[in-house]
């Protein structure tokens, strides 16, 4: 079968941030889920000198995909070259480069280039990939500008809750993984829809009841590691939040199973008065969100505990 034609794209922005700060944000790949909307989870597989290998999960045109990439970091030249080792269908091969350049006092120009080959050269496949690359590139560059300038987003804040369970990791993981049953198992879940196009990659839309009886809808992407972790990112957050990342972690601890729910959040400062009232600040917003998310996490953890211990 003949090799498909090489496609090339380029996108750029100018930001009011120092070049070194911009390069540092791009270089810290495991922190990308807090910076780039399409990125759900990143794991650094290995790093040797200026070369690193990454496992990346991100959304493309609404679908969650995972791939492995190799990067070459040129800190002095402020360039990062990347190449996918294993691409997700319908992409056959993809690479590109981040180029960070000074653009006058206090300004930085960021260019993001891509080159790729499709699994086939049909118009439909090429259009799908071009649309995904264009959408994600624009979203990533705008998100990068927001992250380094931070005009309205609070700094990320992380907290966690842990419950010890006298049960099997497989049973606890099954409860957390089979979230499609949560509406039957958890009182605070009013509705949930889960799709899983690839094993372990889930798209979840959930209606959650609050103590005052109101219901709010969230949309999340989840990456599942059997009997170990479930990592997720909210793709649609409540107005008060600009970021919500989460992880369910299972680990053996002194003969018992410790199950932790961790959250990383960032609030939108400009909407705090409308949601919490005049005079409320960022600290009050963080405490409010911590209370709401922690309450629901503990409800889920305790339900998982009851489920697992009943099966021992």
């Amino acid at each position: 079968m003949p090799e498909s034609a090489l496609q090339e794209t380029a996108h750029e922005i100018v930001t009011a941030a120092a070049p070194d700060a911009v390069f540092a944000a791009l270089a810290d790949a495991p922190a990308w889920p807090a910076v780039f909307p399409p990125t759900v989870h990143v794991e650094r597989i290995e790093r040797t000198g200026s070369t690193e290998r990454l496992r990346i999960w991100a959304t493309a045109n609404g679908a969650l995909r995972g791939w492995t990439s190799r990067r070459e970091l040129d800190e002095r030249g402020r360039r990062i070259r990347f190449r996918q080792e294993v691409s997700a269908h319908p992409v056959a091969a993809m690479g590109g480069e981040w180029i960070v350049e000074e653009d006058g006092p206090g300004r930085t120009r960021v260019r993001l280039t891509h080159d790729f080959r499709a699994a086939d050269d049909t118009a439909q496949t090429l259009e799908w990939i071009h649309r995904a690359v264009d959408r994600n590139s624009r979203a990533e560059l705008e998100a990068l500008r927001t992250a380094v300038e931070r005009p309205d987003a609070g700094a990320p804040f992380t907290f966690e809750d842990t419950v010890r369970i006298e049960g099997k990791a497989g049973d606890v993981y099954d409860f957390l993984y089979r979230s499609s049953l949560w509406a039957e198992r958890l009182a605070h879940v009013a509705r949930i829809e889960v799709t899983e196009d690839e094993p372990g990659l889930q798209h979840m839309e959930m209606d959650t009841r609050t103590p005052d009886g109101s219901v709010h809808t969230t949309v999340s992407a989840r990456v599942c590691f059997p009997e170990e972790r479930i990592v997720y990112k909210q793709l649609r957050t409540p107005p008060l939040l600009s970021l919500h990342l989460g992880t369910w972690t299972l680990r053996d601890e002194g003969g018992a199973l410790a199950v932790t729910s961790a959250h990383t959040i960032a609030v939108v400062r400009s909407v705090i008065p409308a949601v919490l009232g005049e005079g409320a600040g960022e600290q009050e917003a963080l405490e409010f969100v911590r209370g709401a998310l922690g309450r629901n996490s503990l409800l889920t953890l305790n339900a998982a505990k009851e489920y697992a211990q009943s099966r021992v």
Side-chain angles (χ1 to χ4, degrees), residues 60-95:
N61 293 335
L64 181 58
R65 297 284 187 266
W67 63 89
T68 302
S69 283
R70 181 178 296 273
R71 301 206 306 170
E72 293 286 342
L73 288 80
D74 177 4
E75 187 171 356
R76 179 173 295 182
R78 300 196 192 101
R79 289 173 174 255
I80 301 175
R81 300 175 184 86
F82 57 89
R83 181 70 49 189
Q84 292 183 1
E85 291 185 346
V86 181
S87 299
H89 188 82
V91 177
M94 180 173 289

PDB file of all heavy atoms in Angstrom, residues 60-95:
ATOM      1  N   ALA A  60      -9.703  14.211  21.032  1.00  0.00           N
ATOM      2  CA  ALA A  60      -9.597  14.716  19.659  1.00  0.00           C
ATOM      3  C   ALA A  60     -10.974  14.615  19.037  1.00  0.00           C
ATOM      4  O   ALA A  60     -11.511  13.510  18.888  1.00  0.00           O
ATOM      5  CB  ALA A  60      -8.579  13.912  18.851  1.00  0.00           C
ATOM      6  N   ASN A  61     -11.558  15.783  18.715  1.00  0.00           N
ATOM      7  CA  ASN A  61     -12.927  15.813  18.192  1.00  0.00           C
ATOM      8  C   ASN A  61     -13.896  15.059  19.106  1.00  0.00           C
ATOM      9  O   ASN A  61     -14.796  14.359  18.654  1.00  0.00           O
ATOM     10  CB  ASN A  61     -12.992  15.226  16.771  1.00  0.00           C
ATOM     11  CG  ASN A  61     -12.272  16.079  15.752  1.00  0.00           C
ATOM     12  OD1 ASN A  61     -12.115  17.291  15.939  1.00  0.00           O
ATOM     13  ND2 ASN A  61     -11.822  15.469  14.669  1.00  0.00           N
ATOM     14  N   GLY A  62     -13.686  15.201  20.413  1.00  0.00           N
ATOM     15  CA  GLY A  62     -14.590  14.606  21.386  1.00  0.00           C
ATOM     16  C   GLY A  62     -14.276  13.177  21.767  1.00  0.00           C
ATOM     17  O   GLY A  62     -14.870  12.648  22.710  1.00  0.00           O
ATOM     18  N   ALA A  63     -13.347  12.526  21.063  1.00  0.00           N
ATOM     19  CA  ALA A  63     -12.993  11.138  21.360  1.00  0.00           C
ATOM     20  C   ALA A  63     -11.692  11.100  22.148  1.00  0.00           C
ATOM     21  O   ALA A  63     -10.761  11.857  21.868  1.00  0.00           O
ATOM     22  CB  ALA A  63     -12.849  10.341  20.068  1.00  0.00           C
ATOM     23  N   LEU A  64     -11.622  10.213  23.146  1.00  0.00           N
ATOM     24  CA  LEU A  64     -10.426  10.073  23.971  1.00  0.00           C
ATOM     25  C   LEU A  64      -9.472   9.089  23.310  1.00  0.00           C
ATOM     26  O   LEU A  64      -9.862   7.971  22.963  1.00  0.00           O
ATOM     27  CB  LEU A  64     -10.804   9.591  25.374  1.00  0.00           C
ATOM     28  CG  LEU A  64      -9.676   9.417  26.397  1.00  0.00           C
ATOM     29  CD1 LEU A  64      -8.930  10.724  26.597  1.00  0.00           C
ATOM     30  CD2 LEU A  64     -10.237   8.919  27.718  1.00  0.00           C
ATOM     31  N   ARG A  65      -8.210   9.517  23.126  1.00  0.00           N
ATOM     32  CA  ARG A  65      -7.201   8.698  22.472  1.00  0.00           C
ATOM     33  C   ARG A  65      -5.929   8.690  23.311  1.00  0.00           C
ATOM     34  O   ARG A  65      -5.648   9.639  24.050  1.00  0.00           O
ATOM     35  CB  ARG A  65      -6.872   9.243  21.075  1.00  0.00           C
ATOM     36  CG  ARG A  65      -8.046   9.216  20.096  1.00  0.00           C
ATOM     37  CD  ARG A  65      -8.295   7.808  19.585  1.00  0.00           C
ATOM     38  NE  ARG A  65      -9.292   7.791  18.523  1.00  0.00           N
ATOM     39  CZ  ARG A  65     -10.590   7.583  18.728  1.00  0.00           C
ATOM     40  NH1 ARG A  65     -11.043   7.433  19.959  1.00  0.00           N
ATOM     41  NH2 ARG A  65     -11.435   7.548  17.713  1.00  0.00           N
ATOM     42  N   GLY A  66      -5.129   7.628  23.158  1.00  0.00           N
ATOM     43  CA  GLY A  66      -3.840   7.544  23.846  1.00  0.00           C
ATOM     44  C   GLY A  66      -2.734   7.189  22.882  1.00  0.00           C
ATOM     45  O   GLY A  66      -2.962   6.453  21.912  1.00  0.00           O
ATOM     46  N   TRP A  67      -1.538   7.724  23.120  1.00  0.00           N
ATOM     47  CA  TRP A  67      -0.401   7.423  22.257  1.00  0.00           C
ATOM     48  C   TRP A  67       0.898   7.636  23.027  1.00  0.00           C
ATOM     49  O   TRP A  67       0.906   8.215  24.107  1.00  0.00           O
ATOM     50  CB  TRP A  67      -0.415   8.279  20.985  1.00  0.00           C
ATOM     51  CG  TRP A  67      -0.276   9.746  21.247  1.00  0.00           C
ATOM     52  CD1 TRP A  67       0.879  10.472  21.345  1.00  0.00           C
ATOM     53  CD2 TRP A  67      -1.343  10.690  21.452  1.00  0.00           C
ATOM     54  NE1 TRP A  67       0.600  11.793  21.618  1.00  0.00           N
ATOM     55  CE2 TRP A  67      -0.749  11.955  21.674  1.00  0.00           C
ATOM     56  CE3 TRP A  67      -2.739  10.582  21.473  1.00  0.00           C
ATOM     57  CZ2 TRP A  67      -1.509  13.092  21.912  1.00  0.00           C
ATOM     58  CZ3 TRP A  67      -3.490  11.720  21.711  1.00  0.00           C
ATOM     59  CH2 TRP A  67      -2.874  12.958  21.925  1.00  0.00           C
ATOM     60  N   THR A  68       1.991   7.147  22.457  1.00  0.00           N
ATOM     61  CA  THR A  68       3.315   7.312  23.047  1.00  0.00           C
ATOM     62  C   THR A  68       4.133   8.244  22.162  1.00  0.00           C
ATOM     63  O   THR A  68       4.168   8.078  20.944  1.00  0.00           O
ATOM     64  CB  THR A  68       4.033   5.955  23.160  1.00  0.00           C
ATOM     65  OG1 THR A  68       3.227   5.078  23.956  1.00  0.00           O
ATOM     66  CG2 THR A  68       5.387   6.114  23.822  1.00  0.00           C
ATOM     67  N   SER A  69       4.790   9.231  22.777  1.00  0.00           N
ATOM     68  CA  SER A  69       5.585  10.212  22.042  1.00  0.00           C
ATOM     69  C   SER A  69       7.000  10.281  22.591  1.00  0.00           C
ATOM     70  O   SER A  69       7.232  10.039  23.781  1.00  0.00           O
ATOM     71  CB  SER A  69       4.960  11.615  22.130  1.00  0.00           C
ATOM     72  OG  SER A  69       3.855  11.742  21.264  1.00  0.00           O
ATOM     73  N   ARG A  70       7.923  10.633  21.711  1.00  0.00           N
ATOM     74  CA  ARG A  70       9.304  10.906  22.094  1.00  0.00           C
ATOM     75  C   ARG A  70       9.551  12.395  21.883  1.00  0.00           C
ATOM     76  O   ARG A  70       9.150  12.957  20.852  1.00  0.00           O
ATOM     77  CB  ARG A  70      10.271  10.077  21.253  1.00  0.00           C
ATOM     78  CG  ARG A  70      11.745  10.296  21.605  1.00  0.00           C
ATOM     79  CD  ARG A  70      12.644   9.401  20.755  1.00  0.00           C
ATOM     80  NE  ARG A  70      12.401   7.993  21.040  1.00  0.00           N
ATOM     81  CZ  ARG A  70      13.005   7.318  21.998  1.00  0.00           C
ATOM     82  NH1 ARG A  70      13.892   7.923  22.791  1.00  0.00           N
ATOM     83  NH2 ARG A  70      12.743   6.050  22.198  1.00  0.00           N
ATOM     84  N   ARG A  71      10.220  13.036  22.841  1.00  0.00           N
ATOM     85  CA  ARG A  71      10.497  14.480  22.739  1.00  0.00           C
ATOM     86  C   ARG A  71      11.983  14.749  22.884  1.00  0.00           C
ATOM     87  O   ARG A  71      12.681  14.078  23.653  1.00  0.00           O
ATOM     88  CB  ARG A  71       9.751  15.250  23.829  1.00  0.00           C
ATOM     89  CG  ARG A  71       8.256  15.102  23.822  1.00  0.00           C
ATOM     90  CD  ARG A  71       7.578  16.302  24.449  1.00  0.00           C
ATOM     91  NE  ARG A  71       8.054  16.629  25.797  1.00  0.00           N
ATOM     92  CZ  ARG A  71       7.738  17.743  26.452  1.00  0.00           C
ATOM     93  NH1 ARG A  71       6.946  18.636  25.882  1.00  0.00           N
ATOM     94  NH2 ARG A  71       8.185  17.963  27.671  1.00  0.00           N
ATOM     95  N   GLU A  72      12.441  15.753  22.153  1.00  0.00           N
ATOM     96  CA  GLU A  72      13.801  16.280  22.281  1.00  0.00           C
ATOM     97  C   GLU A  72      13.681  17.723  22.745  1.00  0.00           C
ATOM     98  O   GLU A  72      13.104  18.561  22.047  1.00  0.00           O
ATOM     99  CB  GLU A  72      14.544  16.212  20.949  1.00  0.00           C
ATOM    100  CG  GLU A  72      14.844  14.811  20.465  1.00  0.00           C
ATOM    101  CD  GLU A  72      15.960  14.147  21.251  1.00  0.00           C
ATOM    102  OE1 GLU A  72      16.725  14.886  21.923  1.00  0.00           O
ATOM    103  OE2 GLU A  72      16.073  12.907  21.208  1.00  0.00           O
ATOM    104  N   LEU A  73      14.231  18.022  23.929  1.00  0.00           N
ATOM    105  CA  LEU A  73      14.123  19.359  24.499  1.00  0.00           C
ATOM    106  C   LEU A  73      15.430  20.115  24.307  1.00  0.00           C
ATOM    107  O   LEU A  73      16.491  19.673  24.756  1.00  0.00           O
ATOM    108  CB  LEU A  73      13.790  19.285  25.986  1.00  0.00           C
ATOM    109  CG  LEU A  73      12.371  18.850  26.353  1.00  0.00           C
ATOM    110  CD1 LEU A  73      12.209  17.332  26.268  1.00  0.00           C
ATOM    111  CD2 LEU A  73      11.979  19.337  27.739  1.00  0.00           C
ATOM    112  N   ASP A  74      15.334  21.237  23.633  1.00  0.00           N
ATOM    113  CA  ASP A  74      16.467  22.135  23.427  1.00  0.00           C
ATOM    114  C   ASP A  74      16.218  23.373  24.286  1.00  0.00           C
ATOM    115  O   ASP A  74      15.586  24.336  23.847  1.00  0.00           O
ATOM    116  CB  ASP A  74      16.577  22.501  21.944  1.00  0.00           C
ATOM    117  CG  ASP A  74      17.698  23.506  21.663  1.00  0.00           C
ATOM    118  OD1 ASP A  74      18.439  23.866  22.596  1.00  0.00           O
ATOM    119  OD2 ASP A  74      17.815  23.924  20.492  1.00  0.00           O
ATOM    120  N   GLU A  75      16.713  23.325  25.535  1.00  0.00           N
ATOM    121  CA  GLU A  75      16.422  24.412  26.477  1.00  0.00           C
ATOM    122  C   GLU A  75      17.066  25.719  26.042  1.00  0.00           C
ATOM    123  O   GLU A  75      16.459  26.792  26.165  1.00  0.00           O
ATOM    124  CB  GLU A  75      16.903  24.025  27.875  1.00  0.00           C
ATOM    125  CG  GLU A  75      16.494  25.001  28.955  1.00  0.00           C
ATOM    126  CD  GLU A  75      16.798  24.482  30.339  1.00  0.00           C
ATOM    127  OE1 GLU A  75      17.258  23.329  30.461  1.00  0.00           O
ATOM    128  OE2 GLU A  75      16.561  25.230  31.311  1.00  0.00           O
ATOM    129  N   ARG A  76      18.289  25.658  25.523  1.00  0.00           N
ATOM    130  CA  ARG A  76      18.966  26.885  25.115  1.00  0.00           C
ATOM    131  C   ARG A  76      18.249  27.533  23.928  1.00  0.00           C
ATOM    132  O   ARG A  76      18.063  28.744  23.886  1.00  0.00           O
ATOM    133  CB  ARG A  76      20.417  26.582  24.742  1.00  0.00           C
ATOM    134  CG  ARG A  76      21.196  27.810  24.266  1.00  0.00           C
ATOM    135  CD  ARG A  76      22.662  27.486  24.066  1.00  0.00           C
ATOM    136  NE  ARG A  76      23.307  27.134  25.332  1.00  0.00           N
ATOM    137  CZ  ARG A  76      24.599  26.836  25.441  1.00  0.00           C
ATOM    138  NH1 ARG A  76      25.379  26.819  24.356  1.00  0.00           N
ATOM    139  NH2 ARG A  76      25.111  26.553  26.624  1.00  0.00           N
ATOM    140  N   GLY A  77      17.839  26.740  22.955  1.00  0.00           N
ATOM    141  CA  GLY A  77      17.146  27.272  21.787  1.00  0.00           C
ATOM    142  C   GLY A  77      15.655  27.423  21.991  1.00  0.00           C
ATOM    143  O   GLY A  77      14.941  27.896  21.103  1.00  0.00           O
ATOM    144  N   ARG A  78      15.143  26.969  23.165  1.00  0.00           N
ATOM    145  CA  ARG A  78      13.719  27.011  23.507  1.00  0.00           C
ATOM    146  C   ARG A  78      12.878  26.342  22.410  1.00  0.00           C
ATOM    147  O   ARG A  78      11.903  26.907  21.904  1.00  0.00           O
ATOM    148  CB  ARG A  78      13.235  28.443  23.737  1.00  0.00           C
ATOM    149  CG  ARG A  78      13.940  29.181  24.871  1.00  0.00           C
ATOM    150  CD  ARG A  78      13.152  30.417  25.274  1.00  0.00           C
ATOM    151  NE  ARG A  78      13.907  31.283  26.148  1.00  0.00           N
ATOM    152  CZ  ARG A  78      14.525  32.381  25.751  1.00  0.00           C
ATOM    153  NH1 ARG A  78      14.497  32.742  24.472  1.00  0.00           N
ATOM    154  NH2 ARG A  78      15.177  33.136  26.615  1.00  0.00           N
ATOM    155  N   ARG A  79      13.269  25.148  22.070  1.00  0.00           N
ATOM    156  CA  ARG A  79      12.534  24.341  21.088  1.00  0.00           C
ATOM    157  C   ARG A  79      12.293  22.945  21.671  1.00  0.00           C
ATOM    158  O   ARG A  79      13.144  22.400  22.371  1.00  0.00           O
ATOM    159  CB  ARG A  79      13.306  24.206  19.771  1.00  0.00           C
ATOM    160  CG  ARG A  79      13.361  25.494  18.955  1.00  0.00           C
ATOM    161  CD  ARG A  79      14.293  25.328  17.751  1.00  0.00           C
ATOM    162  NE  ARG A  79      14.261  26.487  16.886  1.00  0.00           N
ATOM    163  CZ  ARG A  79      13.641  26.537  15.702  1.00  0.00           C
ATOM    164  NH1 ARG A  79      13.029  25.451  15.241  1.00  0.00           N
ATOM    165  NH2 ARG A  79      13.636  27.635  14.973  1.00  0.00           N
ATOM    166  N   ILE A  80      11.122  22.390  21.357  1.00  0.00           N
ATOM    167  CA  ILE A  80      10.794  21.033  21.770  1.00  0.00           C
ATOM    168  C   ILE A  80      10.256  20.297  20.550  1.00  0.00           C
ATOM    169  O   ILE A  80       9.187  20.634  20.032  1.00  0.00           O
ATOM    170  CB  ILE A  80       9.750  21.007  22.903  1.00  0.00           C
ATOM    171  CG1 ILE A  80      10.264  21.758  24.132  1.00  0.00           C
ATOM    172  CG2 ILE A  80       9.404  19.559  23.266  1.00  0.00           C
ATOM    173  CD1 ILE A  80       9.244  21.885  25.247  1.00  0.00           C
ATOM    174  N   ARG A  81      11.000  19.304  20.094  1.00  0.00           N
ATOM    175  CA  ARG A  81      10.560  18.486  18.961  1.00  0.00           C
ATOM    176  C   ARG A  81       9.896  17.230  19.502  1.00  0.00           C
ATOM    177  O   ARG A  81      10.384  16.635  20.458  1.00  0.00           O
ATOM    178  CB  ARG A  81      11.748  18.135  18.067  1.00  0.00           C
ATOM    179  CG  ARG A  81      12.449  19.353  17.475  1.00  0.00           C
ATOM    180  CD  ARG A  81      13.697  18.960  16.690  1.00  0.00           C
ATOM    181  NE  ARG A  81      14.408  20.148  16.216  1.00  0.00           N
ATOM    182  CZ  ARG A  81      15.303  20.815  16.938  1.00  0.00           C
ATOM    183  NH1 ARG A  81      15.591  20.393  18.158  1.00  0.00           N
ATOM    184  NH2 ARG A  81      15.893  21.886  16.456  1.00  0.00           N
ATOM    185  N   PHE A  82       8.797  16.839  18.883  1.00  0.00           N
ATOM    186  CA  PHE A  82       8.085  15.647  19.343  1.00  0.00           C
ATOM    187  C   PHE A  82       7.708  14.768  18.156  1.00  0.00           C
ATOM    188  O   PHE A  82       7.532  15.244  17.029  1.00  0.00           O
ATOM    189  CB  PHE A  82       6.835  16.023  20.147  1.00  0.00           C
ATOM    190  CG  PHE A  82       5.849  16.896  19.405  1.00  0.00           C
ATOM    191  CD1 PHE A  82       4.842  16.336  18.628  1.00  0.00           C
ATOM    192  CD2 PHE A  82       5.928  18.278  19.498  1.00  0.00           C
ATOM    193  CE1 PHE A  82       3.929  17.135  17.959  1.00  0.00           C
ATOM    194  CE2 PHE A  82       5.024  19.090  18.830  1.00  0.00           C
ATOM    195  CZ  PHE A  82       4.020  18.516  18.055  1.00  0.00           C
ATOM    196  N   ARG A  83       7.641  13.474  18.423  1.00  0.00           N
ATOM    197  CA  ARG A  83       7.279  12.499  17.402  1.00  0.00           C
ATOM    198  C   ARG A  83       6.526  11.369  18.074  1.00  0.00           C
ATOM    199  O   ARG A  83       6.997  10.800  19.059  1.00  0.00           O
ATOM    200  CB  ARG A  83       8.546  11.956  16.727  1.00  0.00           C
ATOM    201  CG  ARG A  83       8.314  10.937  15.630  1.00  0.00           C
ATOM    202  CD  ARG A  83       7.698  11.544  14.415  1.00  0.00           C
ATOM    203  NE  ARG A  83       8.379  12.762  13.958  1.00  0.00           N
ATOM    204  CZ  ARG A  83       7.912  13.564  13.012  1.00  0.00           C
ATOM    205  NH1 ARG A  83       6.759  13.275  12.426  1.00  0.00           N
ATOM    206  NH2 ARG A  83       8.567  14.644  12.658  1.00  0.00           N
ATOM    207  N   GLN A  84       5.339  11.047  17.579  1.00  0.00           N
ATOM    208  CA  GLN A  84       4.575   9.941  18.130  1.00  0.00           C
ATOM    209  C   GLN A  84       5.215   8.617  17.730  1.00  0.00           C
ATOM    210  O   GLN A  84       5.438   8.371  16.550  1.00  0.00           O
ATOM    211  CB  GLN A  84       3.124   9.990  17.641  1.00  0.00           C
ATOM    212  CG  GLN A  84       2.332  11.163  18.178  1.00  0.00           C
ATOM    213  CD  GLN A  84       0.878  11.155  17.731  1.00  0.00           C
ATOM    214  OE1 GLN A  84       0.456  10.250  17.015  1.00  0.00           O
ATOM    215  NE2 GLN A  84       0.128  12.168  18.133  1.00  0.00           N
ATOM    216  N   GLU A  85       5.511   7.785  18.739  1.00  0.00           N
ATOM    217  CA  GLU A  85       6.039   6.459  18.450  1.00  0.00           C
ATOM    218  C   GLU A  85       4.929   5.513  18.009  1.00  0.00           C
ATOM    219  O   GLU A  85       5.103   4.714  17.093  1.00  0.00           O
ATOM    220  CB  GLU A  85       6.731   5.883  19.685  1.00  0.00           C
ATOM    221  CG  GLU A  85       8.026   6.586  20.052  1.00  0.00           C
ATOM    222  CD  GLU A  85       8.730   5.899  21.203  1.00  0.00           C
ATOM    223  OE1 GLU A  85       8.092   5.054  21.873  1.00  0.00           O
ATOM    224  OE2 GLU A  85       9.916   6.196  21.429  1.00  0.00           O
ATOM    225  N   VAL A  86       3.817   5.574  18.694  1.00  0.00           N
ATOM    226  CA  VAL A  86       2.647   4.772  18.356  1.00  0.00           C
ATOM    227  C   VAL A  86       1.469   5.733  18.273  1.00  0.00           C
ATOM    228  O   VAL A  86       1.059   6.311  19.278  1.00  0.00           O
ATOM    229  CB  VAL A  86       2.376   3.690  19.418  1.00  0.00           C
ATOM    230  CG1 VAL A  86       1.161   2.868  19.026  1.00  0.00           C
ATOM    231  CG2 VAL A  86       3.595   2.799  19.604  1.00  0.00           C
ATOM    232  N   SER A  87       0.949   5.940  17.075  1.00  0.00           N
ATOM    233  CA  SER A  87      -0.146   6.880  16.869  1.00  0.00           C
ATOM    234  C   SER A  87      -1.490   6.171  16.992  1.00  0.00           C
ATOM    235  O   SER A  87      -1.591   4.957  16.836  1.00  0.00           O
ATOM    236  CB  SER A  87      -0.030   7.544  15.496  1.00  0.00           C
ATOM    237  OG  SER A  87       1.173   8.280  15.377  1.00  0.00           O
ATOM    238  N   ALA A  88      -2.523   6.957  17.278  1.00  0.00           N
ATOM    239  CA  ALA A  88      -3.879   6.420  17.396  1.00  0.00           C
ATOM    240  C   ALA A  88      -4.601   6.582  16.064  1.00  0.00           C
ATOM    241  O   ALA A  88      -4.553   7.652  15.449  1.00  0.00           O
ATOM    242  CB  ALA A  88      -4.642   7.143  18.505  1.00  0.00           C
ATOM    243  N   HIS A  89      -5.267   5.525  15.614  1.00  0.00           N
ATOM    244  CA  HIS A  89      -6.032   5.569  14.368  1.00  0.00           C
ATOM    245  C   HIS A  89      -7.035   6.727  14.412  1.00  0.00           C
ATOM    246  O   HIS A  89      -7.627   6.970  15.455  1.00  0.00           O
ATOM    247  CB  HIS A  89      -6.761   4.234  14.185  1.00  0.00           C
ATOM    248  CG  HIS A  89      -7.422   4.094  12.853  1.00  0.00           C
ATOM    249  ND1 HIS A  89      -6.753   3.710  11.718  1.00  0.00           N
ATOM    250  CD2 HIS A  89      -8.708   4.326  12.471  1.00  0.00           C
ATOM    251  CE1 HIS A  89      -7.589   3.679  10.695  1.00  0.00           C
ATOM    252  NE2 HIS A  89      -8.781   4.048  11.140  1.00  0.00           N
ATOM    253  N   PRO A  90      -7.220   7.459  13.314  1.00  0.00           N
ATOM    254  CA  PRO A  90      -6.761   7.244  11.939  1.00  0.00           C
ATOM    255  C   PRO A  90      -5.427   7.902  11.586  1.00  0.00           C
ATOM    256  O   PRO A  90      -5.109   8.051  10.418  1.00  0.00           O
ATOM    257  CB  PRO A  90      -7.889   7.859  11.124  1.00  0.00           C
ATOM    258  CG  PRO A  90      -8.321   9.032  11.944  1.00  0.00           C
ATOM    259  CD  PRO A  90      -8.218   8.566  13.376  1.00  0.00           C
ATOM    260  N   VAL A  91      -4.639   8.311  12.597  1.00  0.00           N
ATOM    261  CA  VAL A  91      -3.316   8.889  12.332  1.00  0.00           C
ATOM    262  C   VAL A  91      -2.311   7.761  12.175  1.00  0.00           C
ATOM    263  O   VAL A  91      -2.227   6.876  13.036  1.00  0.00           O
ATOM    264  CB  VAL A  91      -2.887   9.834  13.475  1.00  0.00           C
ATOM    265  CG1 VAL A  91      -1.492  10.378  13.226  1.00  0.00           C
ATOM    266  CG2 VAL A  91      -3.886  10.975  13.626  1.00  0.00           C
ATOM    267  N   ALA A  92      -1.537   7.790  11.093  1.00  0.00           N
ATOM    268  CA  ALA A  92      -0.496   6.778  10.874  1.00  0.00           C
ATOM    269  C   ALA A  92       0.827   7.223  11.483  1.00  0.00           C
ATOM    270  O   ALA A  92       1.594   6.404  11.997  1.00  0.00           O
ATOM    271  CB  ALA A  92      -0.332   6.500   9.392  1.00  0.00           C
ATOM    272  N   ALA A  93       1.123   8.505  11.417  1.00  0.00           N
ATOM    273  CA  ALA A  93       2.359   9.055  11.982  1.00  0.00           C
ATOM    274  C   ALA A  93       2.157  10.534  12.213  1.00  0.00           C
ATOM    275  O   ALA A  93       1.478  11.210  11.439  1.00  0.00           O
ATOM    276  CB  ALA A  93       3.542   8.824  11.043  1.00  0.00           C
ATOM    277  N   MET A  94       2.756  11.058  13.301  1.00  0.00           N
ATOM    278  CA  MET A  94       2.632  12.491  13.588  1.00  0.00           C
ATOM    279  C   MET A  94       3.821  12.979  14.394  1.00  0.00           C
ATOM    280  O   MET A  94       4.329  12.271  15.268  1.00  0.00           O
ATOM    281  CB  MET A  94       1.338  12.803  14.335  1.00  0.00           C
ATOM    282  CG  MET A  94       1.157  14.293  14.651  1.00  0.00           C
ATOM    283  SD  MET A  94      -0.464  14.712  15.345  1.00  0.00           S
ATOM    284  CE  MET A  94      -1.525  14.507  13.910  1.00  0.00           C
ATOM    285  N   GLY A  95       4.254  14.191  14.088  1.00  0.00           N
ATOM    286  CA  GLY A  95       5.300  14.843  14.843  1.00  0.00           C
ATOM    287  C   GLY A  95       5.126  16.341  14.730  1.00  0.00           C
ATOM    288  O   GLY A  95       4.156  16.843  14.157  1.00  0.00           O
TER     289      GLY A  95
END
